[in-house]
Amino acid sequence: MAYPRPATVLELLKPITWFPPMWAFGCGVVSSGVSAEGRWPFVVAGVLLAGPLVCATSQAVNDWFDREVDAINEPHRPIPSGRMPGRWGLYIAIAWTLLSLFAAASLGTFVLGAAVLGLALAWAYSAPPFRLKRNGWWGNTAVAACYEGLPWLTGAAVMAAANPDARVFALAGLYSLGAHGIMTLNDFKSVEGDRRIGIASLPASLGVDRAAKLACAVMAVPQVAVVGLLLAWGLPLYAGIIALSLAVQLVLMARLLKRPRELAPWYNGTGVTLYVLGMLASAIALGHATPDPEFAAALANLVTP
């Protein structure tokens, strides 16, 4: 039996993609307001869960179920190139799923539940019968949740050793919603290929210009809501930081909309950087805030039948 080389396995797991969920996990840690003293082993375990385990699993699953398409568009990848022999791509995806669940179980019930949901979305995104990636609305929602919202909540849960504060849910949800727009920008590079193979990404189905306007709105509106919440929570300094960051992003968006396909990579390096820095600023704000029982009760009433 042929075995893949360790370097090929690492390439399949795509370490470059691990940063967003690891960053979101860090935001969750900070937003909890709990000192990391004495909890560093849990923090390190959580970072490994968010990036090298759950995110890496999603990359292996995606490459296995995209192997026929990649053989046409990206034949240099590990599976279509033959460097990942036989069904090893599938075996690694399954093994990493089980390893992720084992690691999550050691961090508590809430973390395990978040990991189960994240892994289920990762498989549903790429694998039949769901294959959410064929629809830009559902696919981008799944990825945004896995990359931003769930890791943020997991980080807060690891620190608090309990369910996160209701305000953590609010910020994680808003930034996860905004990440839907970031995912749309990432689809600009493959519009023609998506149309040929029947993947209805938003740029492919709406057109590049309309998808770019939608992406900008989806990234901006949640940040406006974050500013409003921070003001309501008595954190005007941090609200001002987010507002200033958003103002700069709007200027950058105006340039992006002139040539969205050409400038999407540029915006990812500028506007998206400001977006994720704003995530950290809002997490720091929440970490410094005192609990708000009235807000927690109001949010609980929204989700209680």
Side-chain angles (χ1 to χ4, degrees):
M1 175 184 288
Y3 296 93
R5 297 174 59 188
T8 303
V9 174
L10 186 62
E11 183 180 348
L12 178 75
L13 300 178
K14 296 186 186 68
I16 196 172
T17 66
W18 301 348
F19 172 76
M22 292 167 68
W23 180 270
F25 179 89
C27 289
V29 168
V30 172
S31 70
S32 71
V34 177
S35 171
E37 185 177 356
R39 298 197 63 80
W40 282 112
F42 297 96
V43 174
V44 172
V47 169
L48 294 176
L49 177 67
L53 291 177
V54 173
C55 183
T57 298
S58 72
Q59 299 304 320
V61 172
N62 186 66
D63 271 24
W64 174 255
F65 288 103
D66 273 2
R67 62 193 184 281
E68 295 178 356
V69 174
D70 288 343
I72 299 171
N73 296 328
E74 298 180 89
H76 61 278
R77 285 194 170 189
I79 295 176
S81 68
R83 291 179 291 121
M84 181 68 63
R87 299 174 66 84
W88 271 101
L90 178 60
Y91 300 154
I92 291 171
I94 294 172
W96 246 249
T97 298
L98 296 175
L99 185 59
S100 298
L101 291 173
F102 177 79
S106 69
L107 293 173
T109 303
F110 184 92
V111 175
L112 176 60
V116 168
L117 179 56
L119 291 165
L121 289 173
W123 280 87
Y125 177 78
S126 300
F130 300 106
R131 202 149 166 78
L132 298 178
K133 69 181 299 176
R134 290 191 176 277
N135 181 292
W137 296 102
W138 290 108
N140 287 0
T141 299
V143 174
C146 290
Y147 272 47
E148 305 295 349
L150 288 174
W152 186 313
L153 295 174
T154 300
V158 165
M159 294 304 295
N163 293 354
D165 181 272
R167 291 176 298 174
V168 173
F169 273 92
L171 289 189
L174 286 169
Y175 277 109
S176 186
L177 176 61
H180 190 288
I182 298 173
M183 298 303 111
T184 299
L185 293 184
N186 290 336
D187 288 333
F188 286 168
K189 64 182 181 295
S190 56
V191 176
E192 286 80 8
D194 287 346
R195 286 172 176 164
R196 284 201 304 268
I197 62 179
I199 294 180
S201 66
L202 294 184
S205 58
L206 299 178
V208 169
D209 290 340
R210 290 177 64 194
K213 293 176 182 177
L214 176 67
C216 289
V218 170
M219 288 185 287
V221 171
Q223 294 180 83
V224 174
V226 169
V227 171
L229 287 177
L230 292 177
L231 288 172
W233 296 335
L235 299 163
L237 174 61
Y238 293 98
I241 292 172
I242 305 301
L244 177 60
S245 170
L246 177 57
V248 177
Q249 289 174 60
L250 292 174
V251 173
L252 300 175
M253 286 176 184
R255 184 185 177 198
L256 169 69
L257 292 176
K258 295 178 182 178
R259 302 191 307 278
R261 287 193 67 179
E262 177 185 338
L263 293 176
W266 164 80
Y267 189 84
N268 280 333
T270 54
V272 173
T273 298
L274 290 172
Y275 182 93
V276 299
L277 289 174
M279 288 174 56
L280 180 59
S282 64
I284 293 171
L286 201 54
H288 289 165
T290 56
D292 186 345
E294 292 184 3
F295 177 78
L299 191 61
N301 290 333
L302 290 177
V303 299
T304 302

